[in-house]
Amino acid sequence: MTKRARCAKKAVLPLRYSLLVTALSVGALTDLPVAIAAEVDAPEGGDNTVVTVTGRPQKVKDVAGTVQIIDQRALQTSGAQSLTDVLAQHAVGFLSQWSPAQTSINIRGAASDGQGRDFNGQVLVLIDGRRAGTANLSKIAPSAIERIEIIRGPASVIYGSQNIGGVINIITKNGLNTKGITLSGTGGSWGLGKGAFEVGGKKGHFDYFVSLSGGRSGDYHSGEGGGREVNTQWVRDGALAVVGYQINALNRVELSGRIDGIYDSGFRGSGANYYSKDNRINNSADLTYTGSTKNKKIDWSAHFYDVHDEDNFHWASPVVYSNGKPAAGTSADNNKRNLDIVGSKMIVHARLLPHNDALIGSDLEQSVLRSTRRRVGVNGASMSQTAPYDNNQTDQFVAFYAQDQHRFFHDKVALSAGIRQTWGHTRMDRTPYRTGLISRTAPYQATTWSVGTTYKPVKNITLRAGAASGFRAPTATELAADFDGFGGGRTFGNPNLKPERNQQIEVGLNYTDTIWQGDVALFQNSIRNRITTQVRPGYANTYDYVNKAGNLLIRGIELQGAVNMARLLWPERNDIKWSFYSNGNYNFDMKDEGAAANLNTHTAQRVYRYQVAMGARFGSTLHGHPWNVDVNGTVQGTLYYDTEEHLLIPQAEPRSSYVHKEAPYTIWNLHMDYAVTHNLLVNFAITNLTNLNYHPVFIATDHANSGLDTRFSNGGIGTSLPGRTFQGGLVLRFD
């Protein structure tokens, strides 16, 4: 364990155990999985507001794109151990969790980086509207989150690079949206223990919120036919402090600071490794100011932020793959990556004309990436040192954007359009042990746009259509590299690289009333100019970064629906709850036109062919003791994947470049809660009811004859996700 991790454990464990002595747990499943189902018991469920699209509150059904909201009720009752689990239960997209501390996500064919490096991915993760500094959702503690907004369609230009598949905006709690004191704890299978404390309120012009949380878990067991998954433990902590000051009725300032971390998390990876561990941290400080004119026709916001994202990899691999045979590897391979970001966002809204809403804004940001690495051979043998996984780089950009919406015919029709221009330059900096590196700077620029319309022919129906473009800026390595790789060879950057780009088009229909809610969308996402490396013709072991010629094309349909059966059958009664919900998608066309010739399919990889979340909720408030029972499940459809595992040939795969077709699987969960008093809630939950032994990516799950070539596995025979899990506990709340 590193010194940082030991200090973190010492700091958080006293808090955690004191909370666990006071309370046992919030042992519940995620409640309802999508915007329209999240408020299925509320009269105005379809009128949920979202701020991610334009930076101001807007009704979901008025957005010309698909929106999902994971609301406060769902988060409060969730038994998920991370945000990755939460989003997976909500069928947001394909989520791959290689370890409790590492996540990647794919939305409409666009994927985040496998190590969570947001500058290298195609899905943008935000915290309170600004770049999170990581796309790794597993390192962000879920306890201090007020809600999560997911924008899947072509809706906005106010966000820049990485916005190709969608935007996930994590909105934290503050003294305005959270009041009172809450104390909770969790106990469950495999030594699971979690605790959380939060307090929020208002005093005069000031409002405040403080949250502290911590947790830990031992090695879990896989499902039926498997056993203990050695090296799957984790320790987590999180803290958030927010102070707001209401200067007057029109002006407000808010200062917040947060730290999330997951430590000593086992990293089994594709080799079922017993020895590798991760420590991952994400810290930030934010200062925001909002104001408006007296007539409310103009309002503005200024957001200044400082983000520190840190990954510490301790990836010992005593056995490595070398020319098809096992070879002595490392007893320690420590790689540390630090990303520091400072930036600002300025937005002005104007409603100077009747039925018109205009927006102008600017972004300014600088990020500095620094990495180090140190290796030690097996039994302390000396090893040549090599460069870290990431080259050092400094990136700066400025962007200006404008968006306008105008409403016609008594607000039945709305037209919107926006444009964004981004200019940046990135510099590849000196990197330890990167022999032959030449430091150089290269510029980039991108223009993106969005158009959309909504039409309300009758009160409860909204039709929509939209189109938009997005981009991912090239990294310094891709633009300006010139270095010798470990093991020989040379890689050159390409200053003529174009940013990765996409175009999305979508048409949809939303129906909302007090009983029925439904949404359907047809979409197409086309991604081009994907950046990769290729061998330089006529030169051995020499590579160039290039834009891939073929596009990646995803066409599909997305459906969301809910019905409040209690309100349908007993409209006069408010003491009974009975509802059904479902949402999902079917990608009927998934083509990777740039797939390598040696692959056995051109189907897009790491994208579910179909995905469905479904469930039912029963409950009552009779006799003054509300109770609820939730049953929910997620169907994950067919997936194509060229695994990184070393599998037996030909027993498990005919060749190493073979693209596997993973079979569908279904996960069922059960949750129950009972209010003993107004202040005390008890819970019980079971996840993975059928004890399924599965993994969304790995072919070699933990069971006999897994197909893994154990000569290179460094311990395990395969990697599975947790089997059947039990949780139970309580929550104390004081107004």
Side-chain angles (χ1 to χ4, degrees), residues 528-550:
R528 67 185 189 277
N529 296 340
R530 290 174 294 162
I531 298 174
T532 187
T533 58
Q534 71 177 20
V535 177
R536 179 176 292 187
Y539 292 85
N541 218 6
T542 301
Y543 304 87
D544 292 285
Y545 280 98
V546 297
N547 290 113
K548 187 179 290 188

Side-chain angles (χ1 to χ4, degrees), residues 22 24 45 50 66 114 171 177 425 427 436 452 470 522 563 585 674:
T22 308
L24 290 176
V50 59
T66 301
I171 299 172
N177 58 39
H425 67 268
R427 183 181 71 234
L522 282 168
V563 56
N585 64 82
Y674 177 74

Side-chain angles (χ1 to χ4, degrees), residues 469-633:
S469 65
F471 79 103
R472 179 186 75 84
T475 66
T477 299
E478 293 163 344
L479 283 171
D482 183 356
F483 60 87
D484 295 328
F486 176 67
R490 194 169 188 180
T491 303
F492 290 88
N494 181 353
N496 297 315
L497 278 179
K498 300 175 182 177
E500 295 183 335
R501 294 180 180 272
N502 80 307
Q503 288 186 4
Q504 290 201 62
I505 57 175
E506 175 179 316
V507 295
L509 180 149
N510 179 280
Y511 177 85
T512 301
D513 63 24
T514 59
I515 297 174
W516 304 90
Q517 298 164 35
D519 190 279
V520 59
L522 282 168
F523 72 90
Q524 174 181 290
N525 190 16
S526 178
I527 306 172
R528 67 185 189 277
N529 296 340
R530 290 174 294 162
I531 298 174
T532 187
T533 58
Q534 71 177 20
V535 177
R536 179 176 292 187
Y539 292 85
N541 218 6
T542 301
Y543 304 87
D544 292 285
Y545 280 98
V546 297
N547 290 113
K548 187 179 290 188
N551 294 350
L552 189 144
L553 181 67
I554 305 291
R555 295 190 182 102
I557 183 171
E558 296 168 342
L559 300 168
Q560 306 180 50
V563 56
N564 190 323
M565 293 297 297
R567 190 167 294 171
L568 177 66
L569 299 175
W570 305 288
E572 303 301 322
R573 300 192 63 172
N574 295 317
D575 55 357
I576 297 177
K577 294 181 179 180
W578 181 17
S579 58
F580 295 101
Y581 62 87
S582 179
N583 81 95
N585 64 82
Y586 175 66
N587 297 317
F588 48 79
D589 202 356
M590 306 192 306
K591 295 180 181 178
D592 185 352
E593 297 169 349
N598 63 336
L599 299 182
N600 54 291
T601 179
H602 285 259
T603 304
Q605 296 188 42
R606 299 169 66 90
V607 186
Y608 287 127
R609 173 69 72 179
Y610 57 89
Q611 186 178 32
V612 180
M614 52 195 168
R617 187 180 207 209
F618 308 91
S620 172
T621 58
L622 290 171
H623 312 301
H625 295 280
W627 59 268
N628 294 284
V629 176
D630 290 86
V631 179
N632 64 63

Side-chain angles (χ1 to χ4, degrees), residues 6 84 97 106 217 224 321 332 345 355 431 493 505 680:
R6 289 195 297 270
T84 303
Q97 193 169 32
N106 190 304
S217 177
E224 184 176 358
Y321 182 90
K345 295 180 69 71
H355 310 288
T431 304
I505 57 175
L680 178 62

